Amino acid sequence: MTAEPDALAVVNQLRDLAADPLNRRAIVQDQGCLPGLILFLDHPNPQVVYSALLAVRYLAECRANREKMKGELGMMLSLQNVMQKTTTPGETKLLASEIYELLQVAGTAEEDQPEGGASCRRKAQFFLGTTNKRAKTVVLHIDGLDDSTRRSLCEEALLKIKGVISFTFQMAVKRCVVRIRSDLKAEALGSAIASTKVMKAQQVVKKEDGEEVLIPFQEDGPVEVEQNTDLPDYLPEEESPSQDPDKAVSRVGSAQEGVGWLSTAANFLSRSFYW
């Protein structure tokens, strides 16, 4: 296949690369990728905008990236535009506002509060912290999450739930980290996974001593939840430019390959947006 990738394919590839902590510094330091992601935030396709926001969120997980991201031309203004557009889906607005609030304090005394670990280390709870009352993080252990087909089933089930903001998979340990609105019950996620008929989810909870325990969801019938109608879908697995299903969240050591792909993405961004 020699056709040049379209905007959706490029932004999804950048999103997958940004999900790997080993790639985040390189993406932000690259002269083309961060400006390109900012331009994607103003793209007419809501699917492209949402995927670009996910990529920006991953990049901001690395604390060392945040001040540069805040100062990048158009970043804060583009996030504001996403939040203020009347046509922006609710979950997309919420994700944009959380990123905006995080970058807003970059380089200030408020950001200097201890985070409890290395700045670029993947954490079970994402950088969208407990100070934000509108959203929360739920970690699921999913029995049966064995391959890309099962992952696609999970994606379809989760995207149907109104109130799911974003999610990322850790295929090697059969986990899914889900950002949801604060008023959505975690049981709704368990019910959605159970609806696939081939997988079963348990909630991962960390005790005070740091030990993780698995809490099964009650099996007294499906939880009634509002169906999602306005959030753009993820790029389907068979259309994704990433052929490795583990690459986005669990593959270790992909930094060199990822950085190599950045030049391809940057060239596409230059040809598509810079005139």
Side-chain angles (χ1 to χ4, degrees):
M1 182 175 178
T2 59
E4 185 175 278
D6 62 15
L8 185 58
V10 171
V11 74
N12 273 282
Q13 181 69 62
L14 283 172
R15 178 201 68 200
D16 289 351
L17 290 172
D20 188 336
L22 296 175
N23 294 332
R24 291 172 187 160
R25 291 298 298 276
I27 292 173
V28 170
Q29 295 301 320
D30 185 89
Q31 294 184 353
C33 288
L34 190 58
L37 281 172
I38 293 171
L39 289 169
F40 280 138
L41 295 178
D42 195 39
H43 198 277
N45 184 346
Q47 208 172 345
V48 171
V49 175
Y50 187 71
S51 196
L53 283 171
L54 286 174
V56 172
R57 188 197 74 171
Y58 286 131
L59 296 177
E61 266 191 70
C62 181
R63 186 172 178 176
N65 284 342
R66 296 174 191 170
E67 195 163 356
K68 177 174 175 56
M69 293 173 67
K70 176 183 178 181
E72 189 71 31
L73 182 64
M75 173 66 79
M76 303 304 282
L77 180 60
S78 293
L79 290 171
Q80 284 181 318
N81 288 340
V82 172
M83 292 184 284
Q84 293 170 0
K85 280 184 179 178
T86 57
T87 56
T88 301
E91 279 70 29
T92 303
K93 283 186 178 181
L94 180 55
L95 184 57
S97 69
E98 289 181 322
I99 297 170
Y100 183 89
E101 290 169 11
L102 180 79
L103 296 183
Q104 187 69 25
V105 300
T108 67
E110 186 177 346
E111 189 200 31
D112 291 336
Q113 297 175 359
E115 289 190 334
S119 61
C120 294
R121 185 182 63 192
R122 174 175 295 280
K123 300 179 284 296
Q125 178 149 341
F126 287 107
F127 70 84
L128 305 178
T130 55
T131 56
N132 192 306
K133 305 303 182 184
R134 296 170 298 174
K136 60 185 177 183
T137 300
V138 176
V139 182
L140 302 176
H141 176 83
I142 303 176
D143 293 321
L145 184 62
D146 301 322
D147 53 36
S148 61
T149 300
R150 296 286 179 90
R151 189 177 85 167
S152 294
L153 287 175
C154 282
E155 290 178 354
E156 293 172 5
L158 293 173
L159 283 169
K160 291 178 181 177
I161 302 176
K162 185 76 171 181
V164 169
I165 301 169
S166 62
F167 50 82
T168 188
F169 290 93
Q170 300 171 348
M171 296 294 289
V173 290
K174 299 185 178 182
R175 289 190 179 185
C176 182
V177 183
V178 191
R179 286 291 293 174
I180 60 176
R181 298 177 83 99
S182 59
D183 57 352
L184 180 64
K185 293 182 179 180
E187 287 78 8
L189 306 178
S191 181
I193 299 301
S195 72
T196 66
K197 307 298 184 182
V198 293
M199 288 173 285
K200 182 178 179 181
Q202 300 178 81
Q203 186 173 359
V204 181
V205 177
K206 184 171 290 188
K207 300 196 296 187
E208 291 184 1
D209 61 1
E211 180 185 359
E212 291 184 344
V213 294
L214 301 180
I215 308 297
F217 293 110
Q218 295 183 353
E219 299 183 2
D220 53 358
V223 178
E224 292 293 331
V225 296
E226 185 179 357
Q227 294 294 297
N228 209 351
T229 58
D230 61 355
L231 186 63
D233 292 336
Y234 273 55
L235 185 66
E237 190 68 34
E238 64 272 13
E239 296 175 16
S240 172
S242 174
Q243 297 301 315
D244 186 343
D246 285 357
K247 183 176 182 180
V249 291
S250 62
R251 180 176 168 190
V252 177
S254 63
Q256 183 174 356
E257 178 184 343
V259 172
W261 195 89
L262 292 181
S263 60
T264 302
N267 288 338
F268 171 82
L269 294 170
S270 296
R271 289 192 298 272
S272 301
F273 299 108
Y274 298 133
W275 51 77

